[in-house]
Amino acid sequence: GRYHRISDGFKLIVGRNHQENERLLGLARPECVLLEPVDKGPTALGVGVADQASLEMAGRIYAYYFRKTNGPVDYRQKLPQEKEGRELTAAKAGESEVKKVHI
């Protein structure tokens, strides 16, 4: 996947294809955060301790990888043990923002 260090204690991994998305779901632990598409798109796994600002940045970076839309992206943020989580919308991060945190 694509690895990003959002903050000192929080990383985001975004799947590149169906196989990686499935692998990220399998790696999710109760303390992780999952970002999943409302419709179609990648899955992302947040690992570590995140404050609200880190979660918002993770949403913007996640939205960046939705190539088929130029506007905001709807997604679900949830803990692995939750069925639904909460639905959020994020504007896409700019390429320079993504490059700053890409590992």
Side-chain angles (χ1 to χ4, degrees):
R2 303 168 187 105
Y3 288 77
H4 303 84
R5 186 179 314 279
I6 306 296
S7 65
D8 286 339
F10 186 65
K11 288 188 258 181
L12 183 72
I13 307 163
V14 182
R16 291 180 287 192
N17 55 44
H18 179 73
Q19 185 178 16
E20 285 186 5
N21 292 341
E22 291 297 317
R23 179 137 169 84
L24 290 174
L25 290 172
L27 291 172
R29 300 292 171 252
E31 64 275 9
C32 294
V33 174
L34 284 168
L35 305 181
E36 297 180 321
V38 170
D39 189 21
K40 287 184 178 182
T43 296
L45 179 64
V47 180
V49 178
D51 58 13
Q52 187 61 36
S54 294
L55 290 173
E56 288 173 9
M57 176 58 98
R60 289 175 45 76
I61 290 170
Y62 176 65
Y64 172 82
Y65 289 103
F66 281 74
R67 300 286 185 197
K68 294 186 178 183
T69 181
N70 290 324
V73 170
D74 295 325
Y75 67 98
R76 286 189 188 87
Q77 176 184 303
K78 66 180 196 167
L79 299 174
Q81 62 271 22
E82 293 178 320
K83 289 187 180 189
E84 292 298 317
R86 51 188 201 146
E87 198 167 306
L88 300 168
T89 301
K92 289 184 170 204
E95 187 173 348
S96 64
E97 285 181 282
V98 174
K99 285 184 176 182
K100 284 181 188 177
V101 297
H102 189 263
I103 300 174

XYZ file of all heavy atoms in Angstrom:
810
model
N 0.819 -1.193 0.000
C 0.000 0.000 0.000
C 0.860 1.252 0.000
O 2.082 1.199 -0.047
N 0.201 2.356 0.072
C 0.871 3.661 0.151
C 0.928 4.065 1.614
O -0.102 4.166 2.269
C 0.094 4.686 -0.654
C -0.094 4.299 -2.103
C -1.124 5.254 -2.718
N -1.495 4.865 -4.041
C -2.665 4.282 -4.348
N -3.547 4.019 -3.419
N -2.942 3.987 -5.586
N 2.112 4.313 2.124
C 2.304 4.619 3.544
C 2.493 6.114 3.748
O 3.243 6.756 3.007
C 3.538 3.890 4.082
C 3.338 2.409 4.225
C 3.367 1.580 3.116
C 3.126 1.841 5.470
C 3.178 0.211 3.239
C 2.946 0.472 5.602
C 2.971 -0.336 4.484
O 2.776 -1.684 4.611
N 1.833 6.634 4.799
C 1.927 8.061 5.131
C 2.079 8.215 6.640
O 1.331 7.599 7.397
C 0.663 8.794 4.677
C 0.396 8.632 3.222
N -0.256 7.538 2.710
C 0.727 9.411 2.169
C -0.335 7.659 1.395
N 0.261 8.780 1.040
N 3.008 9.050 7.069
C 3.167 9.360 8.489
C 2.454 10.693 8.713
O 2.962 11.760 8.412
C 4.626 9.477 8.886
C 4.813 9.659 10.386
C 6.275 9.744 10.795
N 7.135 8.727 10.187
C 7.258 7.467 10.615
N 6.577 7.057 11.657
N 8.076 6.637 10.001
N 1.238 10.586 9.270
C 0.406 11.762 9.493
C 0.943 12.583 10.665
O 0.954 13.802 10.633
C -1.063 11.351 9.761
C -1.605 10.463 8.637
C -1.938 12.567 9.979
C -1.696 11.117 7.291
N 1.353 11.891 11.721
C 1.953 12.542 12.887
C 2.960 11.565 13.486
O 3.111 10.447 12.998
C 0.875 12.919 13.912
O 0.256 11.762 14.436
N 3.630 11.975 14.550
C 4.641 11.100 15.157
C 4.085 9.736 15.551
O 4.765 8.735 15.432
C 5.257 11.762 16.390
C 6.217 12.875 16.009
O 6.710 12.890 14.870
O 6.462 13.740 16.863
N 2.849 9.694 15.997
C 2.293 8.433 16.470
C 1.208 7.826 15.609
O 0.535 6.884 16.016
N 1.001 8.346 14.385
C -0.117 7.869 13.566
C 0.294 7.745 12.099
O 0.786 8.689 11.498
C -1.301 8.827 13.691
C -2.546 8.360 12.991
C -3.210 7.218 13.395
C -3.054 9.080 11.933
C -4.366 6.792 12.758
C -4.209 8.669 11.278
C -4.865 7.525 11.699
N 0.088 6.546 11.539
C 0.372 6.277 10.128
C -0.910 5.871 9.414
O -1.805 5.276 10.017
C 1.385 5.149 9.992
C 2.780 5.533 10.385
C 3.745 4.432 10.052
C 4.057 3.696 11.327
N 4.996 2.612 11.188
N -0.968 6.159 8.127
C -2.093 5.774 7.290
C -1.562 4.968 6.115
O -0.616 5.383 5.445
C -2.827 7.016 6.767
C -4.071 6.735 5.930
C -5.208 6.235 6.816
C -4.493 7.982 5.179
N -2.169 3.805 5.884
C -1.803 2.950 4.752
C -3.022 2.875 3.841
O -4.108 2.492 4.290
C -1.409 1.538 5.216
C -0.328 1.607 6.293
C -0.957 0.689 4.026
C -0.180 0.326 7.087
N -2.860 3.240 2.568
C -3.962 3.242 1.612
C -3.720 2.136 0.594
O -2.653 2.085 -0.033
C -4.078 4.604 0.894
C -5.271 4.608 -0.062
C -4.208 5.739 1.905
N -4.700 1.261 0.431
C -4.586 0.162 -0.525
C -4.563 0.645 -1.961
O -5.213 1.631 -2.306
N -3.825 -0.075 -2.812
C -3.709 0.281 -4.229
C -4.614 -0.550 -5.124
O -4.858 -0.189 -6.267
C -2.269 0.104 -4.700
C -1.333 1.121 -4.098
C 0.061 0.904 -4.594
N 0.588 -0.300 -3.949
C 1.850 -0.663 -3.975
N 2.727 0.034 -4.643
N 2.240 -1.748 -3.344
N -5.085 -1.688 -4.619
C -5.941 -2.561 -5.420
C -6.782 -3.423 -4.477
O -6.638 -3.353 -3.259
C -5.101 -3.422 -6.376
C -4.033 -4.224 -5.645
O -4.271 -4.817 -4.599
N -2.823 -4.234 -6.206
N -7.634 -4.235 -5.056
C -8.545 -5.059 -4.253
C -7.789 -5.967 -3.282
O -8.173 -6.099 -2.122
C -9.448 -5.893 -5.178
C -10.395 -6.776 -4.433
N -11.504 -6.279 -3.771
C -10.383 -8.107 -4.211
C -12.132 -7.284 -3.182
N -11.479 -8.407 -3.441
N -6.724 -6.569 -3.754
C -5.945 -7.482 -2.914
C -5.366 -6.744 -1.700
O -5.433 -7.250 -0.577
C -4.834 -8.122 -3.738
C -4.048 -9.170 -2.993
C -2.989 -9.815 -3.887
O -2.646 -9.307 -4.943
N -2.475 -10.943 -3.438
N -4.802 -5.575 -1.909
C -4.254 -4.804 -0.784
C -5.356 -4.325 0.149
O -5.176 -4.307 1.366
C -3.443 -3.611 -1.300
C -2.102 -4.027 -1.848
C -1.227 -2.850 -2.235
O -1.613 -1.676 -1.994
O -0.147 -3.098 -2.780
N -6.505 -3.935 -0.414
C -7.628 -3.525 0.432
C -8.038 -4.667 1.367
O -8.262 -4.457 2.565
C -8.821 -3.098 -0.419
C -8.563 -1.813 -1.182
O -7.675 -1.043 -0.849
N -9.343 -1.596 -2.218
N -8.131 -5.871 0.830
C -8.496 -7.042 1.635
C -7.437 -7.322 2.699
O -7.752 -7.673 3.836
C -8.707 -8.267 0.739
C -9.924 -8.175 -0.142
C -11.224 -8.108 0.643
O -11.384 -8.858 1.633
O -12.082 -7.288 0.278
N -6.189 -7.179 2.337
C -5.095 -7.407 3.297
C -5.161 -6.394 4.440
O -4.957 -6.757 5.599
C -3.746 -7.322 2.589
C -2.575 -7.530 3.503
C -1.533 -8.418 2.883
N -0.303 -8.425 3.650
C -0.086 -9.192 4.713
N -1.016 -10.010 5.139
N 1.069 -9.153 5.349
N -5.429 -5.143 4.131
C -5.548 -4.123 5.175
C -6.693 -4.450 6.123
O -6.551 -4.297 7.342
C -5.751 -2.737 4.556
C -4.548 -2.157 3.827
C -4.922 -0.857 3.140
C -3.376 -1.949 4.778
N -7.805 -4.926 5.593
C -8.927 -5.324 6.454
C -8.509 -6.462 7.383
O -8.882 -6.490 8.553
C -10.133 -5.744 5.609
C -10.843 -4.627 4.858
C -11.879 -5.206 3.903
C -11.475 -3.647 5.828
N -7.712 -7.386 6.866
C -7.242 -8.502 7.683
C -6.227 -8.104 8.739
O -6.100 -8.763 9.769
N -5.499 -7.023 8.506
C -4.492 -6.548 9.460
C -5.075 -5.650 10.554
O -4.411 -5.381 11.546
C -3.397 -5.766 8.722
C -2.501 -6.582 7.812
C -1.607 -5.649 6.996
C -1.661 -7.560 8.618
N -6.293 -5.192 10.369
C -6.907 -4.251 11.310
C -7.057 -4.857 12.696
O -7.523 -5.985 12.845
C -8.262 -3.803 10.778
N -6.618 -4.123 13.681
C -6.751 -4.503 15.092
C -7.741 -3.548 15.754
O -8.002 -2.456 15.232
C -5.390 -4.422 15.792
C -4.341 -5.340 15.197
C -4.689 -6.805 15.464
N -3.828 -7.716 14.737
C -4.203 -8.444 13.696
N -5.418 -8.359 13.233
N -3.371 -9.255 13.099
N -8.275 -3.912 16.915
C -9.287 -3.063 17.562
C -8.864 -1.608 17.772
O -9.694 -0.710 17.748
C -9.530 -3.757 18.902
C -9.193 -5.184 18.648
C -8.058 -5.155 17.657
N -7.582 -1.358 17.936
C -7.118 0.008 18.183
C -6.874 0.805 16.891
O -6.532 1.985 16.931
C -5.845 0.001 19.033
C -4.654 -0.651 18.376
C -4.584 -2.175 18.532
O -5.541 -2.799 19.020
O -3.556 -2.740 18.138
N -7.051 0.171 15.740
C -6.845 0.834 14.445
C -8.114 1.578 14.014
O -9.174 1.406 14.587
C -6.503 -0.198 13.379
S -4.915 -1.014 13.631
N -7.972 2.378 12.976
C -9.094 3.080 12.361
C -9.129 2.669 10.893
O -8.102 2.667 10.220
C -8.916 4.615 12.456
C -10.003 5.334 11.703
C -8.870 5.062 13.891
N -10.318 2.315 10.419
C -10.496 1.980 9.011
C -11.189 3.129 8.291
O -12.122 3.727 8.834
C -11.348 0.726 8.855
C -10.666 -0.601 9.141
C -11.697 -1.718 9.229
C -9.639 -0.912 8.064
N -10.755 3.418 7.093
C -11.435 4.354 6.212
C -11.863 3.531 5.003
O -11.027 2.902 4.346
C -10.509 5.489 5.786
C -9.835 6.279 6.898
C -8.963 7.377 6.316
C -10.836 6.863 7.856
N -13.170 3.519 4.763
C -13.709 2.709 3.676
C -14.600 3.555 2.786
O -15.261 4.483 3.265
C -14.519 1.540 4.235
C -13.694 0.573 5.055
C -14.517 -0.575 5.605
O -15.662 -0.353 6.025
O -13.998 -1.687 5.618
N -14.662 3.221 1.503
C -15.496 4.009 0.588
C -16.977 3.772 0.852
O -17.375 2.683 1.266
C -15.100 3.478 -0.788
C -14.653 2.072 -0.533
C -14.012 2.105 0.828
N -17.782 4.794 0.618
C -19.231 4.630 0.676
C -19.676 3.835 -0.543
O -20.538 2.981 -0.458
C -19.942 6.003 0.754
C -21.441 5.858 0.564
C -19.639 6.665 2.092
N -19.056 4.098 -1.680
C -19.401 3.399 -2.913
C -18.222 2.529 -3.347
O -18.049 1.441 -2.848
C -19.774 4.408 -3.997
C -20.364 3.753 -5.234
O -20.847 2.614 -5.140
O -20.330 4.383 -6.302
N -17.383 3.011 -4.233
C -16.212 2.267 -4.683
C -14.968 3.091 -4.416
O -14.986 4.309 -4.526
C -16.289 1.997 -6.185
C -17.285 0.954 -6.579
C -17.182 0.713 -8.065
C -18.145 -0.385 -8.489
N -18.031 -0.674 -9.919
N -13.892 2.395 -4.097
C -12.638 3.086 -3.870
C -11.732 2.274 -2.972
O -12.036 1.131 -2.624
N -10.609 2.863 -2.587
C -9.637 2.143 -1.765
C -10.091 1.998 -0.314
O -11.025 2.648 0.138
C -8.390 3.027 -1.850
C -8.921 4.400 -2.070
C -10.153 4.218 -2.905
N -9.410 1.141 0.391
C -9.545 1.002 1.839
C -8.259 1.548 2.435
O -7.192 1.404 1.850
C -9.726 -0.479 2.225
O -10.949 -0.950 1.659
C -9.757 -0.670 3.729
N -8.372 2.177 3.610
C -7.184 2.682 4.293
C -7.212 2.237 5.741
O -8.273 2.088 6.345
C -7.116 4.207 4.210
N -6.037 2.023 6.289
C -5.889 1.589 7.668
C -5.039 2.608 8.410
O -3.914 2.899 7.994
C -5.212 0.214 7.705
C -4.943 -0.395 9.076
C -6.252 -0.682 9.809
C -4.129 -1.671 8.924
N -5.587 3.163 9.480
C -4.859 4.083 10.340
C -4.325 3.323 11.538
O -5.072 2.605 12.206
N -3.038 3.462 11.813
C -2.390 2.722 12.892
C -1.738 3.716 13.847
O -0.987 4.592 13.422
C -1.307 1.763 12.337
C -0.638 0.996 13.454
C -1.899 0.825 11.300
N -2.043 3.574 15.136
C -1.446 4.439 16.143
C -2.478 5.332 16.797
O -3.682 5.162 16.627
N -1.984 6.302 17.529
C -2.842 7.224 18.260
C -3.026 8.487 17.427
O -2.049 9.108 17.017
C -2.224 7.577 19.633
C -3.097 8.572 20.373
C -2.010 6.316 20.450
N -4.289 8.846 17.187
C -4.579 10.005 16.340
C -5.473 10.994 17.071
O -6.457 10.599 17.696
C -5.267 9.550 15.064
N -5.122 12.267 16.964
C -6.010 13.307 17.462
C -6.950 13.699 16.316
O -6.852 13.169 15.202
C -5.221 14.506 17.988
C -4.302 15.129 16.938
O -4.431 14.811 15.736
O -3.460 15.943 17.335
N -7.848 14.620 16.579
C -8.842 15.006 15.576
C -8.180 15.576 14.316
O -8.586 15.271 13.196
C -9.831 16.018 16.161
C -10.989 16.342 15.238
C -11.839 15.128 14.900
O -12.055 14.244 15.730
N -12.320 15.063 13.674
N -7.155 16.386 14.490
C -6.464 16.966 13.331
C -5.827 15.878 12.467
O -5.868 15.953 11.236
C -5.405 17.968 13.794
N -5.256 14.858 13.091
C -4.644 13.751 12.342
C -5.700 12.960 11.585
O -5.477 12.548 10.440
C -3.876 12.826 13.279
O -2.776 13.497 13.837
N -6.855 12.740 12.203
C -7.934 12.017 11.528
C -8.466 12.813 10.346
O -8.774 12.241 9.296
C -9.063 11.697 12.510
C -8.742 10.644 13.563
C -9.875 10.543 14.569
C -8.476 9.288 12.921
N -8.561 14.129 10.493
C -9.025 14.968 9.384
C -8.014 14.941 8.236
O -8.395 14.851 7.067
C -9.278 16.388 9.868
C -10.516 16.484 10.742
C -10.707 17.844 11.387
O -9.978 18.808 11.050
O -11.592 17.943 12.252
N -6.736 15.012 8.566
C -5.694 14.939 7.525
C -5.726 13.568 6.852
O -5.586 13.466 5.629
C -4.311 15.198 8.116
C -3.191 15.031 7.110
S -3.347 16.085 5.676
C -2.273 17.402 6.145
N -5.924 12.517 7.626
C -6.026 11.171 7.056
C -7.179 11.107 6.057
O -7.044 10.514 4.986
C -6.213 10.134 8.162
N -8.304 11.724 6.382
C -9.446 11.752 5.465
C -9.115 12.475 4.171
O -9.485 12.034 3.081
N -8.393 13.583 4.267
C -8.008 14.350 3.075
C -7.024 13.566 2.206
O -7.128 13.555 0.972
C -7.410 15.695 3.478
C -8.451 16.657 4.049
C -7.871 17.960 4.573
N -6.881 18.601 3.728
C -7.135 19.294 2.608
N -8.378 19.417 2.195
N -6.157 19.856 1.922
N -6.087 12.884 2.834
C -5.129 12.067 2.077
C -5.834 10.877 1.446
O -5.602 10.539 0.285
C -3.959 11.633 2.977
C -3.115 12.868 3.295
C -3.120 10.540 2.323
C -2.083 12.653 4.348
N -6.717 10.251 2.198
C -7.513 9.143 1.670
C -8.297 9.606 0.438
O -8.290 8.939 -0.598
C -8.441 8.650 2.777
C -9.397 7.566 2.380
C -8.954 6.312 2.005
C -10.769 7.795 2.409
C -9.836 5.309 1.653
C -11.665 6.803 2.072
C -11.198 5.563 1.700
O -12.074 4.579 1.356
N -8.933 10.768 0.530
C -9.718 11.297 -0.590
C -8.844 11.556 -1.817
O -9.304 11.409 -2.954
C -10.438 12.575 -0.157
N -7.607 11.912 -1.605
C -6.674 12.176 -2.700
C -6.580 10.976 -3.650
O -6.409 11.149 -4.851
C -5.292 12.498 -2.117
C -4.196 12.605 -3.142
C -4.004 13.779 -3.870
C -3.331 11.533 -3.384
C -2.981 13.885 -4.804
C -2.310 11.632 -4.315
C -2.149 12.808 -5.023
O -1.134 12.904 -5.947
N -6.702 9.773 -3.130
C -6.522 8.572 -3.937
C -7.787 8.133 -4.684
O -7.767 7.113 -5.364
C -5.975 7.434 -3.075
C -4.543 7.710 -2.700
C -4.213 8.166 -1.432
C -3.524 7.573 -3.635
C -2.901 8.454 -1.101
C -2.209 7.865 -3.319
C -1.908 8.301 -2.048
O -0.608 8.599 -1.719
N -8.858 8.897 -4.599
C -10.054 8.631 -5.397
C -9.863 9.361 -6.722
O -10.142 10.543 -6.848
C -11.312 9.136 -4.681
C -11.797 8.217 -3.610
C -11.128 8.123 -2.405
C -12.934 7.446 -3.807
C -11.575 7.279 -1.409
C -13.384 6.597 -2.813
C -12.703 6.504 -1.621
N -9.373 8.672 -7.714
C -9.001 9.278 -8.986
C -10.197 9.640 -9.865
O -10.090 10.482 -10.724
C -8.085 8.325 -9.772
C -6.819 7.999 -9.049
C -5.886 9.151 -9.074
N -4.613 8.761 -8.470
C -3.728 9.616 -8.055
N -3.941 10.889 -8.161
N -2.604 9.204 -7.515
N -11.326 9.003 -9.660
C -12.455 9.190 -10.568
C -13.328 10.394 -10.219
O -14.310 10.639 -10.885
C -13.300 7.924 -10.621
C -12.545 6.771 -11.237
C -13.407 5.571 -11.430
C -12.574 4.484 -12.090
N -13.342 3.313 -12.385
N -12.967 11.127 -9.191
C -13.738 12.312 -8.829
C -12.788 13.455 -8.493
O -11.718 13.233 -7.952
C -14.690 12.027 -7.646
O -15.420 13.207 -7.362
C -13.947 11.595 -6.410
N -13.195 14.648 -8.823
C -12.393 15.825 -8.515
C -12.892 16.543 -7.268
O -12.189 17.369 -6.713
C -12.391 16.799 -9.696
C -11.607 16.249 -10.865
O -10.598 15.588 -10.680
N -12.078 16.504 -12.067
N -14.106 16.241 -6.872
C -14.698 16.929 -5.735
C -14.472 16.188 -4.427
O -13.675 15.252 -4.350
N -15.201 16.604 -3.397
C -15.106 15.940 -2.088
C -15.494 14.462 -2.190
O -16.238 14.058 -3.078
C -16.103 16.704 -1.220
C -16.304 18.009 -1.918
C -16.124 17.726 -3.381
N -14.999 13.681 -1.256
C -15.225 12.231 -1.237
C -15.969 11.849 0.046
O -15.602 12.280 1.134
C -13.869 11.485 -1.302
C -14.037 10.007 -1.049
C -13.206 11.737 -2.646
N -17.001 11.031 -0.112
C -17.725 10.475 1.034
C -17.080 9.151 1.411
O -16.769 8.331 0.540
C -19.198 10.229 0.687
C -19.941 11.523 0.394
O -19.630 12.543 1.037
O -20.832 11.508 -0.473
N -16.868 8.957 2.709
C -16.258 7.717 3.184
C -16.761 7.405 4.588
O -17.400 8.229 5.234
C -14.738 7.815 3.162
C -14.144 8.796 4.153
C -13.650 8.360 5.380
C -14.086 10.155 3.877
C -13.114 9.254 6.289
C -13.544 11.049 4.774
C -13.067 10.589 5.984
O -12.541 11.466 6.884
N -16.471 6.181 5.035
C -16.817 5.768 6.407
C -15.539 5.645 7.220
O -14.564 5.052 6.769
C -17.537 4.429 6.400
C -18.944 4.517 5.912
C -19.706 3.206 6.123
N -20.988 3.282 5.475
C -21.212 2.968 4.197
N -20.232 2.532 3.454
N -22.407 3.085 3.674
N -15.584 6.199 8.414
C -14.486 6.051 9.373
C -15.021 5.188 10.495
O -16.069 5.480 11.059
C -14.081 7.418 9.902
C -13.012 7.354 10.978
C -12.745 8.744 11.521
O -12.411 9.647 10.770
N -12.912 8.905 12.804
N -14.311 4.096 10.788
C -14.826 3.196 11.818
C -13.704 2.416 12.476
O -12.603 2.311 11.941
C -15.851 2.245 11.213
C -15.280 1.276 10.209
C -16.378 0.377 9.654
C -15.770 -0.825 8.968
N -16.741 -1.846 8.693
N -14.031 1.876 13.618
C -13.149 0.923 14.271
C -13.416 -0.434 13.631
O -14.535 -0.692 13.179
C -13.431 0.878 15.771
C -13.221 2.199 16.509
C -13.667 2.067 17.969
C -11.773 2.648 16.434
N -12.434 -1.314 13.575
C -12.627 -2.608 12.904
C -13.819 -3.413 13.427
O -14.450 -4.134 12.663
C -11.309 -3.339 13.161
C -10.320 -2.243 13.310
C -11.063 -1.140 14.012
N -14.134 -3.282 14.704
C -15.229 -4.063 15.271
C -16.605 -3.456 14.999
O -17.618 -4.093 15.251
C -15.009 -4.288 16.777
C -14.972 -3.030 17.601
C -13.582 -2.409 17.739
O -12.696 -2.656 16.930
N -13.406 -1.595 18.754
N -16.664 -2.261 14.443
C -17.937 -1.615 14.133
C -18.433 -2.057 12.764
O -17.642 -2.303 11.860
C -17.781 -0.086 14.120
C -17.477 0.514 15.459
C -17.295 2.027 15.365
O -16.682 2.506 14.391
O -17.756 2.696 16.286
N -19.750 -2.120 12.633
C -20.318 -2.491 11.342
C -20.435 -1.287 10.415
O -20.148 -1.377 9.244
C -21.691 -3.125 11.525
C -21.610 -4.498 12.135
C -22.931 -5.165 12.163
C -22.752 -6.537 12.794
N -23.917 -7.353 12.685
N -20.877 -0.161 10.927
C -21.133 0.991 10.075
C -20.146 2.132 10.256
O -19.724 2.728 9.295
C -22.554 1.517 10.318
C -23.640 0.574 9.855
C -23.595 0.318 8.361
O -23.396 1.275 7.583
O -23.751 -0.841 7.957
N -19.813 2.493 11.462
C -18.958 3.648 11.689
C -19.717 4.927 11.410
O -20.939 4.965 11.436
N -18.995 5.994 11.087
C -19.679 7.244 10.766
C -19.276 7.699 9.378
O -18.137 7.528 8.956
C -19.415 8.318 11.807
C -18.005 8.550 12.138
C -17.862 9.504 13.316
N -16.514 10.040 13.229
C -16.146 11.231 13.567
N -17.021 12.052 14.068
N -14.918 11.620 13.429
N -20.254 8.258 8.688
C -20.016 8.719 7.333
C -19.509 10.159 7.372
O -20.069 11.009 8.051
C -21.300 8.616 6.520
C -21.047 8.655 5.037
C -22.258 8.253 4.226
O -22.807 7.165 4.470
O -22.629 9.041 3.337
N -18.429 10.398 6.643
C -17.801 11.709 6.594
C -17.554 12.110 5.146
O -17.611 11.274 4.241
C -16.458 11.676 7.336
C -16.509 11.300 8.808
C -15.113 11.027 9.340
C -17.173 12.398 9.612
N -17.254 13.379 4.950
C -16.883 13.894 3.635
C -15.571 14.643 3.792
O -15.390 15.384 4.756
C -17.978 14.840 3.097
O -19.204 14.125 3.010
C -17.602 15.376 1.724
N -14.661 14.427 2.860
C -13.369 15.115 2.914
C -13.029 15.695 1.549
O -13.248 15.056 0.517
C -12.269 14.151 3.340
N -12.488 16.900 1.580
C -11.921 17.489 0.374
C -10.578 16.805 0.132
O -9.899 16.387 1.077
C -11.734 18.988 0.566
N -10.203 16.696 -1.113
C -8.935 16.049 -1.444
C -7.747 16.897 -0.996
O -7.740 18.112 -1.188
C -8.830 15.833 -2.948
C -9.735 14.770 -3.480
C -9.461 14.585 -4.961
C -10.185 13.369 -5.452
N -9.574 12.815 -6.645
N -6.753 16.226 -0.452
C -5.488 16.901 -0.144
C -4.797 17.216 -1.462
O -4.969 16.506 -2.457
C -4.600 15.992 0.706
N -4.003 18.260 -1.463
C -3.213 18.585 -2.642
C -2.013 17.658 -2.750
O -1.594 17.038 -1.766
N -1.464 17.562 -3.933
C -0.325 16.678 -4.153
C 0.848 17.019 -3.228
O 1.517 16.137 -2.704
C 0.126 16.745 -5.614
C 1.189 15.741 -5.950
C 1.513 15.704 -7.435
O 0.780 16.282 -8.248
O 2.525 15.070 -7.768
N 1.091 18.302 -3.001
C 2.204 18.700 -2.125
C 1.961 18.261 -0.681
O 2.885 17.866 0.011
C 2.445 20.201 -2.200
O 1.322 20.911 -1.718
N 0.692 18.309 -0.226
C 0.377 17.832 1.135
C 0.662 16.348 1.266
O 1.197 15.896 2.276
C -1.113 18.052 1.446
C -1.513 19.458 1.746
C -2.998 19.523 2.045
O -3.802 19.490 1.095
O -3.340 19.615 3.243
N 0.277 15.590 0.245
C 0.464 14.133 0.268
C 1.963 13.809 0.251
O 2.421 12.948 1.008
C -0.277 13.465 -0.906
C 0.040 11.980 -0.957
C -1.774 13.691 -0.777
N 2.718 14.493 -0.577
C 4.163 14.222 -0.658
C 4.876 14.513 0.650
O 5.860 13.843 0.980
C 4.773 15.035 -1.788
C 4.452 14.479 -3.165
C 5.151 15.261 -4.252
C 4.878 14.612 -5.591
N 5.576 15.312 -6.673
N 4.401 15.494 1.411
C 5.032 15.843 2.693
C 4.965 14.698 3.697
O 5.853 14.559 4.539
C 4.362 17.069 3.315
C 4.747 18.358 2.663
C 4.043 19.514 3.363
C 4.245 20.805 2.624
N 3.497 21.913 3.258
N 3.901 13.904 3.647
C 3.715 12.852 4.650
C 3.931 11.448 4.094
O 3.889 10.469 4.835
C 2.330 12.955 5.325
C 2.194 14.254 6.088
C 1.198 12.794 4.315
N 4.164 11.328 2.787
C 4.378 10.023 2.173
C 5.713 9.455 2.643
O 6.709 10.141 2.694
C 4.373 10.147 0.649
C 4.367 8.838 -0.051
N 5.514 8.256 -0.521
C 3.371 7.981 -0.331
C 5.213 7.103 -1.078
N 3.918 6.908 -0.980
N 5.698 8.174 3.006
C 6.922 7.521 3.489
C 7.548 6.758 2.331
O 6.909 6.020 1.643
C 6.617 6.545 4.648
C 6.001 7.303 5.806
C 7.859 5.813 5.070
C 5.522 6.402 6.935
